[in-house]
Amino acid sequence: MTDFSDPRPPLPEWILDAYDVLCTHSFNSAANEDIQSIPREEAIEVLCSSDELALEPEDATHAVSRLIERGYFYEVDGELRVTIPED
């Protein structure tokens, strides 16, 4: 379901499901307590091992790439950080 108040471009439902899974597995980094993040390699592993998704590595990599391209995450030194849309 598309949230029309979200300024980010829409993605297929399965990639949004991957985003939700990654957000639940992200943590607040020690350096930036207000930023949720997950290492990129760990994100791929989480998506491949999740019972909800059970993605192949290529699909997990594609989902992560699309989430970065569309602004759901941004990457810093191999760490995916959750982008919080402005109101």
Side-chain angles (χ1 to χ4, degrees):
M1 185 168 160
T2 303
D3 179 359
F4 293 108
S5 65
D6 192 340
R8 300 174 294 196
L11 289 167
E13 196 65 35
W14 72 273
I15 294 180
L16 293 176
D17 292 342
Y19 174 72
D20 291 338
V21 168
L22 292 177
C23 283
T24 62
H25 285 84
S26 64
F27 57 91
N28 291 343
S29 66
N32 297 301
E33 294 180 11
D34 59 335
I35 299 175
Q36 285 183 271
S37 63
I38 185 171
R40 186 183 186 113
E41 291 303 316
E42 185 179 331
I44 302 297
E45 290 173 18
V46 165
L47 293 177
C48 290
S49 64
S50 169
D51 291 335
E52 298 171 46
L53 300 171
L55 298 177
E56 295 294 323
E58 295 81 15
D59 293 329
T61 300
H62 175 73
V64 167
S65 295
R66 297 296 290 161
L67 289 166
I68 293 169
E69 290 169 1
R70 295 292 180 96
Y72 288 77
F73 286 106
Y74 62 100
E75 189 170 13
V76 176
D77 297 328
E79 184 177 85
L80 302 178
R81 296 184 180 176
V82 178
T83 303
I84 307 298
E86 294 181 15
D87 292 333

